[in-house]
Amino acid sequence: MTPIPERPRWSNWLLWFVILAASTGALLLFRDRLDKAHVALAFVLVVLGGSAVGGGALGIALATTAFVVFDVAFLPPYNTLRIADPLDWFVLFAFLVTSVVGAQLLERQRREADIARSRTAEIDRLATLGAETLNAPRAEDALHAIAEVIRQSMGTERCEITMGEAEGTDSVLPVREMNIPLAIRGIVVGTLRLGGNRPFRLSRDQQRILGALSYYAALGVERVRLAESAEEAESLRRADRLKDALLASVSHDLRTPLTTIKGIANEIARGSDVTRAWVIEEEADRLSTLVDELLDLSQLNAGQMPVEVALNTADDVVGAALQRVESALGGREIDTILEGEFTTLLGRFDFVHTMRILSNLLENAAKYAPAGQPVRLRVSRHGSALIFSVEDAGRIAAEDRERIFEPFARGRPSAKGSRGTGLGLSIARRLAEVQCGTLEFSPMADGSSRFILAVPAADVPIEGSL
């Protein structure tokens, strides 16, 4: 809706003086038949109408003019300022006082009504804006947005919303910093802190607006607290699930090799084939691997895994990974494709961690890819990322594609004779993250598996520098 423009002030004055003149002319036509009260009432109506539309100043001007016109035109002797009957002075002054008081009362009511409408519109606008900020995806973002709304509304340089209680500040005296407690249902949940470079004081209107917005600020603080509680609860649930998975997996994975070791040890003690001792060594290695991976996972979760990021080439780390997994490939060939010049396939990453990630991905591909199907390792650069992609013909169900990165999870059916702890991919992803990289599963168009490791790429260093 397009607002109707307000009439200019001079136009209102002209209009109501024309109305006063027209009313005077109409009354003059019946002057002999009219009583003084009729004239007074007619002029009072004009004065009140002008006050309601044009304000108190116009009302007083109309009342003064009508006072003179009343005397000159309607009180004998006519056309003079003299009055024959002294009681008519009472009539005139009663008219003048009534008109002026009425004009002032209308002006006051009009002014208060304008202030009330302005205040209501401002509070509605700010309250709506505050409610919208509470819909921000993150609780912290909503809190910052509300603080900015309050800062702009109060005209201060700073506005902070913090959790916890602080001593309140008197809002009447000028201050450089003001603390307002934020409460919900009578319980203080935080503090709103306003600050300025110079002493300031809030007007009554600002205090009313602040009272409306402080409730939204309290809701924002409560939302942050609830979000933190929810995150803590979710963290505890994840830790509890990990503990259960750890107990279930470790108890099984430890029991199996220990049983084997114990049985073979008894056979050896009874004079059995001594060559079976290599089985004990194999199972001991399996236990050692499980313990090492559990320790690595513990270090990663605690943020204590050492990382040495340096300038390395993709060719070197790929060669080291292929050499490391050579014995585990069982004769399977790995097709290695380097897409780009040697000088472009550089990155800043931890050489040992990256080699370990690639070794894990290649070993998994060799275990789970169908026999006779190729395993490919592609290396390329895309923008600021150096990409290692391990592809095989194995398939992973859609519901397992993210779960396989959880500890002790096995997404694909185990290949015959293959054994693992279920920690490899979980550790690999965390090793990628600690060196500012990522490890994701991205299936190919035909449904085959593809694991993508991305680490920060680097350009050829200037001579004499790294």
Side-chain angles (χ1 to χ4, degrees):
M1 178 182 296
T2 303
I4 300 175
E6 293 185 358
R7 189 188 303 273
R9 183 176 180 181
W10 63 266
S11 177
N12 282 329
W13 282 61
L14 178 61
L15 173 63
W16 282 98
F17 272 100
V18 169
I19 293 175
L20 177 61
S23 301
T24 301
L27 291 172
L28 284 174
L29 295 176
F30 305 96
R31 182 171 60 182
D32 296 337
R33 299 166 54 187
L34 293 175
D35 189 75
K36 300 169 186 175
H38 297 146
V39 178
L41 287 175
F43 282 159
V44 166
L45 288 176
V46 174
V47 171
L48 294 179
S51 299
V53 175
L58 176 57
I60 293 174
L62 289 171
T64 304
T65 305
F67 174 84
V68 175
V69 172
F70 197 173
D71 181 10
V72 173
F74 296 97
L75 295 177
Y78 300 126
N79 302 322
T80 67
L81 292 175
R82 291 184 296 107
I83 295 178
D85 187 354
L87 291 177
D88 289 343
W89 285 108
F90 174 76
V91 175
L92 276 175
F93 281 103
F95 161 75
L96 181 61
V97 171
T98 301
S99 299
V100 171
V101 170
Q104 290 297 319
L105 289 176
L106 278 175
E107 172 65 14
R108 180 182 298 177
Q109 292 298 320
R110 181 173 177 267
R111 187 165 53 248
E112 290 181 356
D114 289 341
I115 293 174
R117 283 193 297 268
S118 176
R119 186 178 301 151
T120 300
E122 184 71 10
I123 290 177
D124 287 344
R125 182 182 71 83
L126 294 176
T128 301
L129 185 57
E132 290 176 352
T133 56
L134 287 178
N135 293 325
R138 297 176 64 249
E140 292 82 2
D141 295 339
L143 205 58
H144 291 321
I146 294 173
E148 181 62 19
V149 170
I150 295 176
R151 187 194 67 78
Q152 294 178 1
S153 302
M154 299 299 106
T156 59
E157 283 80 12
R158 297 181 300 278
C159 179
E160 299 177 356
I161 301 175
T162 58
M163 301 179 68
E165 186 176 357
E167 184 177 353
T169 306
D170 188 356
S171 59
V172 176
L173 300 176
V175 293
R176 289 183 179 271
E177 186 172 289
M178 183 179 297
N179 296 327
I180 297 95
L182 302 176
I184 296 179
R185 295 182 296 276
I187 301 175
V188 176
V189 297
T191 301
L192 173 64
R193 183 173 291 107
L194 297 174
N197 298 328
R198 294 177 297 178
F200 64 92
R201 179 174 56 192
L202 300 182
S203 65
R204 289 186 177 181
D205 289 343
Q206 287 178 319
Q207 291 179 31
R208 291 190 181 97
I209 294 173
L210 183 60
L213 287 181
S214 62
Y215 183 70
Y216 287 100
L219 291 177
V221 172
E222 186 70 2
R223 181 183 172 190
V224 171
R225 188 187 66 80
L226 292 175
E228 292 177 351
S229 298
E231 291 177 359
E232 183 179 358
E234 180 60 27
S235 177
L236 291 175
R237 283 194 293 269
R238 287 196 299 267
D240 189 59
R241 288 196 298 268
L242 179 60
K243 178 201 68 177
D244 293 341
L246 175 64
L247 292 176
S249 180
V250 171
S251 61
H252 175 270
D253 289 339
L254 289 177
R255 186 182 297 111
T256 301
L258 286 175
T259 301
T260 303
I261 290 173
K262 182 178 179 180
I264 296 177
N266 288 334
E267 292 181 10
I268 294 176
R270 293 194 301 269
S272 181
D273 185 4
V274 180
T275 59
R276 297 194 62 190
W278 70 270
V279 179
I280 294 179
E281 184 178 358
E282 182 183 40
E283 295 298 332
D285 290 341
R286 182 182 173 191
L287 286 175
S288 178
T289 299
L290 176 59
V291 171
D292 289 341
E293 290 185 344
L294 288 173
L295 290 175
D296 288 341
L297 185 62
S298 176
Q299 282 186 307
L300 288 167
N301 288 334
Q304 298 177 348
M305 177 65 72
V307 181
E308 297 181 4
V309 175
L311 184 65
N312 295 293
T313 66
D315 184 64
D316 287 342
V317 73
V318 167
L322 291 175
Q323 184 177 5
R324 180 174 181 175
V325 301
E326 182 178 2
S327 60
L329 294 179
R332 186 187 292 268
E333 294 292 332
I334 304 295
D335 296 335
T336 305
I337 304 171
L338 275 65
E339 300 175 352
E341 299 294 334
F342 174 81
T343 55
T344 64
L345 298 180
L346 297 174
R348 289 193 175 277
F349 53 85
D350 186 296
F351 187 91
V352 175
H353 292 341
T354 303
M355 177 187 65
R356 183 175 175 182
I357 297 170
L358 293 176
S359 300
N360 177 273
L361 297 178
L362 292 172
E363 288 180 357
N364 284 346
K367 288 180 183 178
Y368 300 110
Q373 296 295 322
V375 173
R376 293 187 179 89
L377 171 58
R378 299 180 186 270
V379 186
S380 60
R381 175 169 178 169
H382 296 281
S384 60
L386 185 62
I387 306 297
F388 299 87
S389 176
V390 177
E391 306 167 358
D392 66 78
R395 297 174 184 270
I396 299 178
E399 62 272 16
D400 291 331
R401 289 173 183 173
E402 190 61 30
R403 192 179 64 85
I404 56 176
F405 291 102
E406 297 178 1
F408 307 108
R410 296 181 176 91
R412 292 180 282 183
S414 298
K416 182 177 181 181
S418 65
R419 295 182 296 181
T421 63
L423 293 173
L425 287 177
S426 176
I427 293 175
R429 169 172 278 189
R430 297 298 301 275
L431 288 175
E433 292 172 349
V434 296
Q435 52 182 323
C436 300
T438 59
L439 176 60
E440 304 291 341
F441 176 80
S442 177
M444 293 185 286
D446 62 354
S448 300
S449 295
R450 175 171 55 195
F451 288 86
I452 298 176
L453 168 65
V455 296
D459 297 319
V460 178
I462 299 175
E463 185 177 353
S465 64
L466 286 178

